[in-house]
Amino acid sequence: MTAEPLPAEAVPAKPLSAEPIPAQPSPGAHRPAEPPTPEAPAPAEPAPLAPAGPAARDVALAEARVARRNQLTRAAQWFAGIEDDPYGLLLRAGRDDPAVHEERVRAQGPLHRSAPLDTWVTAHRAVAEQVFTDPAFDGTGPDGTPVGRDDLPYRSDLLALDRATAARLAPLTAFGGPLLWAQEEDCVAQRAATYARRLLEGCGEYFDLAEDFARRLAGPVLAEQLSLPDAAHEEFARVLPDCRHALDGLVCPQPYATARATRAAEAAVTGLLARHLSDAGEDAVRAAGVLAVGAAEPTAVLLVEAVRRLRARPGAWERLTADPALAADAVRDTLRTAPPVRLETRITRTATTLAGTPLPAGSRVVVLVAAAHRDPAVPAGAAPLGFAPDLHFALSATLITVLATAALRALAETLPHLREAGEPVTRPRSPVLLAPARFPVAKRESTPCAS
């Protein structure tokens, strides 16, 4: 998948997704009865009917209905793409450059309606800022609809926050607050760098930057910061990366098995935190869960993307290794040019007007964050949007930046001769994060064999 181009320097194409993408029909072609692709969700397999009696059968049938709804939501997104709807094509997360579809949305004006998906979409920064600050916009799902009953039945429980809840929980996750023992960012950065070096020492000559390093960093740092007992560190660090699909699942139905595994991992994280933080209160347990799940995968995506972009620019990686303090600038640049969270969804809780368009209560609005960063109306040098200031990122945005910066600096100091050692692959069904499925690297530059 191709990342949006840098303003000044070209960057090689983003690696292809591992998910097969079908050819689209020619304009005017008859719409097929089923999504014409091996990627589109296969017919949902009902959960096995247990022989224990009517209650067990009812549970199995209910689960089968939820799985079917998950499948149909994904099919609707594919049909929207077949009809050449740019937002539908973004949700398909195919092999094409998402910036192409984002710019098509921008060309429609400040607010574009995706008719097939009944969603309003914007690529304009001023509109994005209104969505993130106007009280009329709140939450990521239908108001009052239980998780599992809306169009995305496997939506993350932890990340299904409204603004009032996020505002109440955010102070708990501040540095030096009730949950994180570090008093300031520098302390967290030092601890993160220590864990980063340990991870790199344990990697072989060839390793996967995404799986073996980036996704394994947040767990041990957070376990320490949350003052979990030593005996719980290993379990927490092992389970947390399995929540990686939670953010993409807010807008894109994940495969049935993946969705269930993600919910199981999230429940395991919540259960572990509840066992060890229960004395701090229910809000503390929830805040710790939101912080962990909301920070882990975006940290990994931000770190890997920063490395990819530095390696793609002639001399950029060498400048960083000569002066590792430049890691902070590299992370800020990545947040501006290739933010790890590209789509943000909000629901109107009351009737309102956005970009001159009246929206009734219950309208779904999507901000194309990466496109909003490229808005030509924004003055040069304007601060990046970064992470949305409300909802779950109100708890985790600062920590993500600190962890990614510390890890990038440790990587530059420890492995100055790092190089790519294979074709990177983007994870399927990842329109929100464009998350790496793998990023093979080697610790040293290759050397020619002696003749």
Side-chain angles (χ1 to χ4, degrees):
M1 184 175 292
T2 306
E4 72 278 13
L6 286 170
E9 299 178 81
V11 174
K14 187 87 169 183
L16 297 182
S17 166
E19 191 169 34
I21 305 297
Q24 291 192 38
S26 59
H30 177 68
R31 175 167 158 167
E34 295 292 337
T37 168
E39 182 280 330
E45 298 181 4
L49 297 182
R57 287 196 295 271
D58 289 346
V59 170
L61 287 172
E63 179 65 18
R65 292 188 187 100
V66 170
R68 179 63 174 175
R69 189 161 64 254
N70 195 60
Q71 177 209 24
L72 292 175
T73 301
R74 181 59 173 168
Q77 295 175 353
W78 275 91
F79 283 136
I82 289 171
E83 294 182 0
D84 201 34
D85 175 71
Y87 179 55
L89 290 168
L90 284 170
L91 293 182
R92 280 172 40 153
R95 296 176 179 176
D96 43 352
D97 182 355
V100 173
H101 307 308
E102 292 165 352
E103 292 307 317
R104 287 182 58 200
V105 170
R106 191 195 311 282
Q108 299 297 317
L111 196 60
H112 162 68
R113 183 172 181 265
S114 169
L117 299 174
D118 191 21
T119 300
W120 296 92
V121 191
T122 185
H124 287 239
R125 175 155 177 170
V127 180
E129 290 173 342
Q130 181 180 344
V131 171
F132 293 150
T133 57
D134 191 328
F137 300 91
D138 195 9
T140 59
D143 190 23
T145 301
V147 173
R149 299 294 182 86
D150 60 14
D151 290 340
L152 290 165
Y154 292 104
R155 188 188 304 274
S156 166
D157 289 338
L158 283 171
L159 301 185
L161 295 179
D162 57 25
R163 284 179 174 167
T165 303
R168 188 180 77 246
L169 299 180
L172 300 176
T173 64
F175 294 115
L179 286 174
L180 303 184
W181 62 260
Q183 296 295 314
E184 55 189 14
E185 295 182 15
D186 286 348
C187 180
V188 177
Q190 291 172 13
R191 298 304 299 157
T194 296
Y195 281 109
R197 294 187 183 94
R198 289 179 187 173
L199 286 172
L200 293 172
E201 288 173 2
C203 293
E205 179 66 24
Y206 296 90
F207 65 99
D208 188 325
L209 186 69
E211 283 297 306
D212 298 331
F213 179 62
R215 288 194 175 101
R216 295 177 61 194
L217 178 64
V221 175
L222 278 169
E224 180 184 72
Q225 286 296 313
L226 294 171
S227 300
L228 298 180
D230 292 346
H233 282 211
E234 182 179 352
E235 180 186 359
F236 184 76
R238 174 175 52 81
V239 174
L240 184 58
D242 293 338
C243 299
R244 68 187 66 183
H245 301 276
L247 278 162
D248 282 307
L250 293 177
V251 299
C252 178
Q254 301 298 297
Y256 177 61
T258 300
R260 292 198 67 185
T262 300
R263 294 201 72 182
E266 189 173 292
V269 168
T270 302
L272 186 150
L273 294 172
R275 290 195 302 273
H276 299 293
L277 300 178
S278 58
D279 290 345
E282 184 178 337
D283 272 3
V285 172
R286 187 174 186 188
V290 174
L291 176 68
V293 173
E297 187 66 3
T299 297
V301 175
L302 178 57
L303 173 58
V304 173
E305 184 63 14
V307 172
R308 188 189 76 82
R309 298 177 81 79
L310 287 166
R311 292 288 305 166
R313 297 174 181 173
W317 179 255
E318 289 73 19
R319 287 192 292 273
L320 175 65
T321 58
D323 183 6
L326 294 174
D329 292 336
V331 168
R332 280 194 295 269
D333 182 67
T334 304
L335 284 171
R336 179 178 59 84
T337 56
V341 177
R342 301 177 67 93
L343 306 178
E344 284 281 0
T345 302
R346 298 294 183 271
I347 305 296
T348 56
R349 301 309 189 201
T350 59
T352 189
T353 298
L354 182 64
T357 302
L359 301 181
S363 299
R364 180 182 287 109
V365 178
V366 170
V367 173
L368 305 183
V369 179
H373 283 295
R374 302 192 305 271
D375 190 336
V378 177
L385 277 175
F387 298 97
D390 60 347
L391 303 188
H392 40 271
F393 287 126
L395 284 72
S396 59
T398 302
L399 183 67
I400 293 168
T401 304
V402 170
L403 292 180
T405 301
L408 181 60
R409 179 167 186 161
L411 195 63
E413 291 172 342
T414 306
L415 299 179
H417 302 295
L418 184 81
R419 64 178 176 87
E420 296 84 345
E423 184 70 18
V425 175
T426 301
R427 188 170 69 214
R429 299 203 197 190
S430 184
V432 174
L433 299 170
L434 290 188
R438 65 173 181 264
F439 196 99
V441 294
K443 290 185 174 181
R444 299 176 180 84
E445 296 288 352
S446 59
T447 54
C449 297
S451 57

